[in-house]
Amino acid sequence: MKYLLVQPSTRITGAVEVPGDKSISHRAIMLGAVATGTTRVRGFLPGEDCLATLAAVEAMGVRVQRRAATEVAIEGVGLRGLQRPAHDLDMGNSGTAMRLFAGLLAGQAFDCTLVGDASLSKRPMERVAQPLRRMGAGIETDNGRPPLRIRGGAPLRGIDCTLPVASAQVKSALLLAGLYASGETTVHEPAVTRDHTERMLAVFGQPVRREGLSVALAPAGRLQGTDVEVPGDLSSATFLILAAALAREGSLTIGNVGLNPTRTGILEIFRLMGMDLAVEPADVPPGAEPVGRITVRPSQLRGTVIPAALVPLAIDEFPAVFVAAALAEGETVVSGAAELRHKESDRIAVMAAGLRALGIGVSETPDGARIQGGPLAGGEVDSVGDHRIAMAFAVGASRAHAAVRILDTANVATSFPGFAALVGQIGMRVEERGGGDGDARG
Ligand code: S3P
């Protein structure tokens, strides 16, 4: 099994970029596949999650050219041009791939089955299957979990749907199914979630109306292939930002990173915790994803009550928030974050267990935790195959009093290929060790 061995470090410095945004990369491939004409994607994330999406569209007859690791050209087959795959579509570790494809494939003429690894096979899928059934889709889960069996040929109709949980994946699945529906599809969210699907549909010529917490799509019948520039992933940048803030010296700049306001909750949380953070937005054409540059300096962090309103805008960043809290002065309170229990792992329980193993006081609540800042000891933590937990502990371990071994880390490659090498460039001391596929638990 793969593991990371992390030694403490004091100086984090440099100017780097991080790999492409995972959410945007998935969407570019999916929309490019069902568009008319060619879509060129630059800055594509060659992580395992997005490669699963790429392999799935290829299995449905879409021609894909990899011009470089981060450059992909997709020959779109049109909304009705996908073909029945010869085998089950393997989504690997990726909840985004499975839930978005559920929507996209509900409207096709053929049957197919979506499967995933051990972690994905435990994640809730009725949240997407139920509203798709209301649209007329034939879709079955296995007691609420993958595999997803989709029966093709069902005519879809637009619905007006109020989501019980804030989920960009469910919203996106319904909008993608809405491309194939008769009439308009409207989704009401309980809180704003990432809007990459809405933005990208507009770029492909399919506008989506937003009013407050509601989005509506009236199918235009066609998507037009286009060029997509994928910015660096702010969720990946978060680990480097935290590392630079926790360092004793240095200064780190991260360029070309996505600054979509539905994703920047983490920057607000870090500021509330006292982080010395400068954000310079770049000029981008209208409709494009916001990008810019972030500079971070060593900062004394303080414990904070995290406003629940920021949770959906920073949903993937809580492993890093837990580590920031552990190394802050005083207590940090996380609440309104029950969704964390349904991610690649139960991120509340796994973060609490790992921090306790390193000597930090943490009490769990059903929807969050109270974390007492304190010195972090060396030792061993289990990331249970969750990429973001592994990377968050790698950052925390850089400020521990002795080496930390982080177990079950092969899945770092799902979202941040080259993590150990890149953080090495800025001064962290992270060694990848161990072998096998390391993915026993996914
Ligand atoms: C994502 C949405 C979020 C997030 C995930 C990516 C997306 O999930 O956690 O990593 O690309 O739409 P939920 O929609 O389940 O909150």
Side-chain angles (χ1 to χ4, degrees):
M1 185 182 283
K2 285 196 178 163
Y3 66 94
L4 297 177
L5 184 64
V6 186
Q7 309 286 343
S9 50
T10 51
R11 181 178 167 80
I12 298 294
T13 202
V16 293
E17 291 188 8
V18 291
D21 188 277
K22 181 154 74 72
S23 293
I24 299 174
S25 295
H26 280 298
R27 287 157 170 83
I29 302 303
M30 290 185 195
L31 295 189
V34 295
T36 300
T38 305
T39 291
R40 281 179 205 82
V41 186
R42 284 204 306 220
F44 173 72
L45 171 66
E48 286 164 10
D49 278 12
C50 299
L51 295 175
T53 288
L54 207 53
V57 301
E58 283 185 287
M60 291 184 283
V62 177
R63 285 201 8 230
V64 169
Q65 273 182 52
R66 293 288 295 281
R67 300 186 169 170
T70 60
E71 228 179 291
V72 183
I74 307 150
E75 299 301 329
V77 294
L79 279 176
R80 310 267 167 201
L82 293 177
Q83 288 159 28
R84 182 186 182 151
H87 48 77
D88 291 352
L89 298 173
D90 188 355
M91 306 287 116
N93 192 243
S94 178
T96 306
M98 185 167 283
R99 296 199 180 110
L100 269 58
F101 269 128
L104 188 68
L105 299 181
Q108 308 299 327
F110 52 82
D111 297 352
C112 62
T113 298
L114 308 182
V115 298
D117 73 2
S119 149
L120 182 53
S121 298
K122 289 190 221 143
R123 295 180 65 185
M125 291 298 149
E126 278 299 323
R127 54 176 60 192
V128 73
Q130 271 176 16
L132 287 172
R133 276 185 213 117
R134 274 188 57 213
M135 294 180 79
I139 177 163
E140 282 162 36
T141 63
D142 182 359
N143 273 320
R145 314 205 179 272
L148 283 184
R149 291 179 213 288
I150 301 172
R151 248 174 305 112
L156 302 186
R157 55 187 173 272
I159 56 168
D160 187 292
C161 182
T162 300
L163 300 185
V165 286
S167 167
Q169 293 178 356
V170 178
K171 170 180 66 175
S172 300
L174 300 185
L175 293 175
L176 294 176
L179 293 169
Y180 294 87
S182 57
E184 194 167 284
T185 298
T186 305
V187 183
H188 310 283
E189 311 187 83
V192 174
T193 63
R194 66 191 68 195
D195 66 357
H196 305 302
T197 304
E198 297 91 304
R199 284 174 186 260
M200 199 179 289
L201 280 167
V203 174
F204 278 79
Q206 166 67 65
V208 177
R209 268 191 350 264
R210 172 170 280 282
E211 260 177 64
L213 291 174
S214 304
V215 291
L217 177 145
R222 167 175 204 279
L223 299 179
Q224 180 58 51
T226 185
D227 290 353
V228 179
E229 281 299 330
V230 182
D233 198 323
L234 181 59
S235 296
S236 298
T238 292
F239 301 111
L240 282 67
I241 292 171
L242 181 59
L246 294 175
R248 293 189 204 288
E249 42 181 303
S251 155
L252 180 70
T253 298
I254 304 169
N256 188 37
V257 65
L259 293 175
N260 181 314
T262 60
R263 295 283 296 281
T264 49
I266 187 60
L267 301 178
E268 284 184 57
I269 292 173
F270 280 165
R271 280 205 184 100
L272 287 172
M273 298 184 84
M275 195 180 285
D276 178 355
L277 198 61
V279 179
E280 298 160 80
D283 288 332
V284 292
E289 287 281 349
V291 299
R293 187 162 63 178
I294 299 177
T295 301
V296 198
R297 293 192 175 76
S299 314
Q300 175 55 60
L301 302 184
R302 52 178 182 265
T304 307
V305 177
I306 310 291
L310 291 177
V311 169
L313 307 177
I315 190 67
D316 289 339
E317 281 58 81
F318 277 85
V321 171
F322 274 54
V323 166
L327 289 159
E329 225 172 74
E331 183 182 70
T332 294
V333 182
V334 175
S335 64
E339 268 300 285
L340 295 179
R341 297 197 183 274
H342 305 294
K343 295 296 176 186
E344 285 81 331
S345 69
D346 175 341
R347 286 184 171 161
I348 297 175
V350 177
M351 285 305 303
L355 288 176
R356 280 191 209 113
L358 300 181
I360 299 293
V362 185
S363 59
E364 262 186 63
T365 59
D367 67 343
R370 301 178 92 90
I371 302 147
Q372 313 300 328
L376 208 63
E380 188 171 280
V381 295
D382 192 346
S383 78
V384 306
D386 184 325
H387 56 135
R388 296 201 201 282
I389 288 188
M391 291 185 276
F393 276 115
V395 170
S398 300
R399 268 295 293 277
H401 287 275
V404 176
R405 224 156 80 111
I406 304 161
L407 304 180
D408 200 358
T409 56
N411 281 336
V412 167
T414 60
S415 68
F416 201 149
F419 171 75
L422 185 59
V423 298
Q425 267 179 43
I426 63 170
M428 279 171 63
R429 295 159 67 204
V430 179
E431 253 181 87
E432 287 177 303
R433 296 229 181 139
D437 69 0
D439 194 14
R441 274 170 292 196

